[in-house]
Amino acid sequence: MPENTDNLNNERDTQFRALLEDLVKAITTSSSRETLDVSSIYDIVGKLCRHFRAGRGVTTFYENEAAEKRGDGDLYEAYNNGNASDIDLTQRVVTGARTIVISQVFLENGAAPWTQLERERIDMIQKMIFSFVSRSRLQKIVEKLTFYDRDGYPNLPNFIRHLQIQSQNGGLKNHAALHFNLRHFSLVNQKLGRRTGDTVMKAYINQMAEFLDEEGMVARIGGDNFCALCPQDKLPRLIQMLKSSTIVYDEITGDKARVSATAGIYLIPDDFRCNDNSDIMDKIVPASILARTGGGDHIVYYDRRMDKNREHFMMVQQQFAQALARSEFKVFYQPKVSVYTGELVGAEALCRWFRDDQIIPPIRFIPALEQNTDICRLDFYMLEKVCRDLRRWQESGKHLVRVSVNLSRKHLLDDDLTEHLLEIIDKYRIPHRYIEFELTETTTDVAFTDLKHAVSALKTAGIAIAVDDFGVGFSSLNLVQDIPWDVLKVDKTFLPIEDDNVLSRRSIMFRHVVGMAKELGLECVAEGVETAHQVEILRDNNCDIAQGFWFDKPLPHDEFEKRLEQHFYHIDD
Ligand code: C2E
Ligand code: MG
Ligand code: MG
């Protein structure tokens, strides 16, 4: 008899060892793979359960203790023969990541109780399962944190990983990569509220993801910036969606919003290899910036010349600090003139960079400085120079005029902007009525409320604020109505030219924009006035002030000083 029991024990022992070996093997091979193979492991766990006369084996995973209390966990049932008793062996483990794993094995109804040795063996298996399950779950959590953003959109690492995998499998053939920015999204948020804005964005991106399906993908880079991968035969339809989509954001009421985007597109060549971020981002981002800020086409395809641009950007960024320290940036003043009297009523301070006997215009360096906050340093520098000049002119008894300084929208991220600006103005004891700030309306990366806040604060301090380049970018009536601007500067693209008759689109637009500005009590300045005929048009439309080559180009300090002394321009009646 003892021999028989021994034999039986030996047989069970061998069976157990074989199963254990299989389990170790399955866990190790599975761990060395990208994704864990749960089914092969549970298959072995099932056999082990039968071996130990268990009716059921489950593991439950909780993300944290609170989730455990709520009973909100993920249950993995490795085995269930439908005949479990309530006698169980339970283990609970809190992992280093504060996740909780509970493993339970239930004895089968009517089966012989577990021996001490069996209990020890079950305990050992449970410990092995712990490390496996928590690893598999942690992998999911890490995946979620690494490859999705807080709002659940796939993120940049996800996009790059996808490209890399596709690139290895030849899956990028005949595809295009895109970077796009939603237009006016801050206005959508402002109009519909943040929550509905989020819903609109989600619906828009979901619609796109559905359209791209398995053959492509769309990921959020941050804010209202996205990347996408798209098969080239679907590109025309995708571009249509980018240019304009109507999104029904409330199924019940049928309420809709229109969403459009500017995009940079790279047609991926057959021999393209994606090794890291920059391989693709260096192509689609500059194209996208051009699409957003170029003022022309809202869809721009990458071309090689953009690489040159990038080199130029880097060169400017490298030289900037030194150039600032060496005072290579100079203020030029462009007069603003009353179209009725010819009186010099103001001036705009415009920056020029003197380097190696060359004068570099702003278009060659401002976009590079706007990539980071260097532009803010330049603007403060310009303000300081303007204040110093105003102080000197005042002390030498000149008839002062209000000078406007351009402020990049990047400043609006600075909570203490008003204090910083006033500090400089007051240091030179400049009466506030002699300072004006111009803010462009072309960028959307700043929240509307920040803009409103900054404009109101400066206005309270008695400083005039102008909306610059009105008409290009996202001119919106909301922007003009809801923010207390003092001055509206109509962009030169709105100004009728020689061939336009009074019924041309440009003439009509100009008339209405000026009319609206007046209606709202704003001072109206037309930029880019180049001919006597245009001065006349301004007068006919009650646009009081002109700035442009017809009167003067931006002038160096000394020449502008002469204009201050003359104070009037000769204008024909
Ligand atoms: P902006 O503020 O709209 O300045 C007006 C631009 O129109 C100036 O170009 C000016 O020279 C040009 N302009 C004036 N009259 C005429 C005209 O009759 N015909 C034509 N075709 N153009 C005219 P500029 O000086 O090259 O400056 C370009 C832009 O660079 C400015 O546009 C402004 O946005 C930016 N900028 C210049 N200086 C600064 C600065 O100190 N800080 C910041 N943040 N931006 C600046
Ligand atoms: Mg300006
Ligand atoms: Mg302008």
Side-chain angles (χ1 to χ4, degrees):
M1 218 36 197
E3 205 176 291
N4 244 346
T5 321
D6 265 5
N7 272 347
L8 203 65
N9 279 345
N10 280 343
E11 206 179 294
R12 284 183 60 77
D13 233 38
T14 319
Q15 194 191 22
F16 173 69
R17 280 179 211 292
L19 285 171
L20 187 65
E21 212 169 285
D22 285 352
L23 183 64
V24 171
K25 219 186 280 167
I27 289 182
T28 5
T29 42
S30 159
S31 305
S32 62
R33 285 206 208 105
E34 273 282 308
T35 46
L36 296 170
D37 178 6
V38 182
S39 62
S40 71
I41 290 170
Y42 281 7
D43 191 40
I44 301 164
V45 172
K47 285 180 188 157
L48 278 160
C49 283
R50 280 194 292 275
H51 174 83
F52 288 116
R53 304 181 304 287
R56 185 169 177 238
V58 290
T59 311
T60 318
F61 183 95
Y62 299 98
E63 254 169 49
N64 48 44
E65 225 161 302
E68 183 188 16
K69 278 205 186 106
R70 288 197 309 273
D72 178 11
D74 285 339
L75 191 121
Y76 297 80
E77 190 165 66
Y79 180 72
N80 190 353
N81 68 5
N83 192 22
S85 72
D86 49 11
I87 303 166
D88 71 319
L89 279 174
T90 295
Q91 281 202 53
R92 176 180 179 276
V93 162
V94 181
T95 69
R98 311 304 301 164
T99 56
I100 291 156
V101 192
I102 296 179
S103 164
Q104 287 174 293
V105 178
F106 297 85
L107 191 68
E108 199 176 2
N109 265 323
W114 288 309
T115 63
Q116 182 57 30
L117 180 69
E118 280 177 325
R119 283 172 176 271
E120 280 166 19
R121 285 182 171 172
I122 292 172
D123 184 80
M124 180 176 79
I125 301 289
Q126 282 181 311
K127 289 209 166 74
M128 285 170 70
I129 297 293
F130 276 150
S131 68
F132 166 71
V133 172
S134 54
R135 190 181 112 86
S136 119
R137 268 314 307 255
L138 272 179
Q139 182 168 317
K140 279 196 188 133
I141 293 178
V142 169
E143 157 101 12
K144 204 165 105 190
L145 289 176
T146 316
F147 293 112
Y148 292 84
D149 70 9
R150 268 200 319 206
D151 299 323
Y153 292 97
N155 62 7
L156 180 64
N158 197 332
F159 183 66
I160 298 298
R161 177 179 66 164
H162 184 80
L163 286 176
Q164 282 169 343
I165 295 171
Q166 294 300 317
S167 156
Q168 280 158 14
N169 306 336
L172 293 181
K173 222 171 165 210
N174 297 325
H175 275 65
L178 299 91
H179 179 279
F180 61 94
N181 174 265
L182 305 187
R183 301 181 67 216
H184 323 174
F185 212 77
S186 53
L187 288 176
V188 173
N189 280 334
Q190 188 220 339
K191 212 167 112 202
L192 303 177
R194 186 86 204 197
R195 278 266 280 291
T196 313
D198 288 348
T199 312
V200 171
M201 187 187 284
K202 195 102 237 178
Y204 178 66
I205 297 302
N206 282 348
Q207 181 174 313
M208 198 176 279
E210 226 163 79
F211 166 72
L212 292 171
D213 203 26
E214 299 279 284
E215 302 164 283
M217 84 169 289
V218 52
R220 178 153 85 159
I221 307 308
D224 57 0
N225 289 302
F226 295 84
C227 283
L229 181 71
C230 172
Q232 285 182 20
D233 56 358
K234 283 189 168 180
L235 196 55
R237 176 77 191 97
L238 183 70
I239 289 175
Q240 259 178 10
M241 289 170 107
L242 290 168
K243 282 187 171 164
S244 173
S245 290
T246 305
I247 301 298
V248 178
Y249 58 85
D250 189 330
E251 293 290 344
I252 298 164
T253 58
D255 283 345
K256 314 181 210 78
R258 215 174 66 80
V259 181
S260 65
T262 55
I265 303 180
Y266 176 52
L267 300 174
I268 301 174
D270 286 352
D271 57 355
F272 178 79
R273 282 276 160 275
C274 183
N275 296 315
D276 63 58
N277 279 6
S278 58
D279 291 333
I280 212 96
M281 299 312 277
D282 284 356
K283 303 202 162 52
I284 55 179
V285 172
S288 179
I289 292 176
L290 214 62
R292 195 175 61 183
T293 58
D297 222 339
H298 290 149
I299 305 287
V300 172
Y301 286 83
Y302 162 83
D303 98 45
R304 256 176 230 289
R305 274 168 299 181
M306 290 176 191
D307 292 340
K308 277 252 165 301
N309 250 354
R310 201 159 45 86
E311 283 161 26
H312 175 77
F313 268 35
M314 278 163 62
M315 197 254 315
V316 169
Q317 284 163 0
Q318 277 161 12
Q319 294 179 349
F320 175 68
Q322 193 194 46
L324 199 66
R326 290 187 185 166
S327 298
E328 290 177 2
F329 296 101
K330 307 274 181 222
V331 185
F332 273 46
Y333 292 92
Q334 186 172 35
K336 295 178 190 168
V337 181
S338 157
V339 292
Y340 304 114
T341 61
E343 183 182 359
L344 173 70
V345 291
E348 174 172 8
L350 291 158
C351 187
R352 298 291 180 265
W353 184 2
F354 284 69
R355 164 146 287 224
D356 306 330
D357 298 326
Q358 272 189 318
I359 302 181
I360 309 175
I363 187 71
R364 299 279 299 152
F365 59 89
I366 298 238
L369 301 180
E370 274 179 333
Q371 295 291 298
N372 50 44
T373 47
D374 282 346
I375 185 66
C376 300
R377 292 178 60 198
L378 179 71
D379 288 346
F380 282 126
Y381 175 92
M382 290 286 288
L383 175 63
E384 179 118 24
K385 298 283 172 222
V386 165
C387 289
R388 207 192 46 190
D389 286 346
L390 281 168
R391 174 93 247 128
R392 288 199 190 141
W393 288 326
Q394 190 173 39
E395 278 167 6
S396 61
K398 303 230 168 9
H399 185 154
L400 287 194
V401 294
R402 190 164 81 196
V403 176
S404 62
V405 174
N406 289 285
L407 280 190
S408 161
R409 281 237 190 171
K410 281 265 166 345
H411 288 282
L412 300 179
L413 304 170
D414 172 4
D415 283 338
D416 302 319
L417 173 67
T418 315
E419 288 77 9
H420 290 155
L421 295 172
L422 289 175
E423 204 176 294
I424 299 177
I425 297 166
D426 294 341
K427 185 167 83 185
Y428 290 91
R429 287 173 284 121
I430 309 297
H432 293 182
R433 65 178 182 282
Y434 290 124
I435 300 286
E436 173 180 321
F437 289 111
E438 297 190 8
L439 279 158
T440 49
E441 41 124 31
T442 42
T443 39
T444 53
D445 54 355
V446 170
F448 185 85
T449 42
D450 293 337
L451 181 62
K452 192 167 174 175
H453 176 79
V455 172
S456 309
L458 287 165
K459 199 182 166 88
T460 309
I463 289 170
I465 310 289
V467 51
D468 200 359
D469 302 340
F470 186 81
V472 293
F474 78 117
S475 11
S476 122
L477 295 179
N478 282 343
L479 184 88
V480 176
Q481 261 166 12
D482 295 352
I483 294 183
W485 308 100
D486 301 280
V487 183
L488 186 143
K489 294 191 78 180
V490 188
D491 190 70
K492 44 186 167 288
T493 52
F494 263 95
L495 195 59
I497 48 176
E498 219 60 39
D499 299 338
D500 289 333
N501 65 40
V502 281
L503 289 176
S504 77
R505 206 179 135 73
R506 220 188 322 238
S507 299
I508 295 169
M509 292 290 276
F510 183 74
R511 194 158 56 241
H512 284 91
V513 166
V514 175
M516 175 197 70
K518 290 278 168 162
E519 192 100 332
L520 293 167
L522 302 181
E523 192 178 284
C524 198
V525 179
E527 299 183 289
V529 176
E530 294 182 348
T531 63
H533 175 65
Q534 286 176 326
V535 176
E536 216 171 287
I537 293 173
L538 262 58
R539 240 180 266 137
D540 290 346
N541 287 287
N542 295 326
C543 175
D544 319 301
I545 299 166
Q547 176 185 342
F549 297 167
W550 175 252
F551 293 106
D552 264 318
K553 292 201 162 149
L555 303 168
H557 172 277
D558 292 357
E559 276 186 55
F560 179 66
E561 210 170 65
K562 286 183 205 148
R563 300 294 191 277
L564 269 182
E565 280 158 13
Q566 290 161 359
H567 212 73
F568 277 92
Y569 287 78
H570 175 75
I571 50 169
D572 298 324
D573 293 326

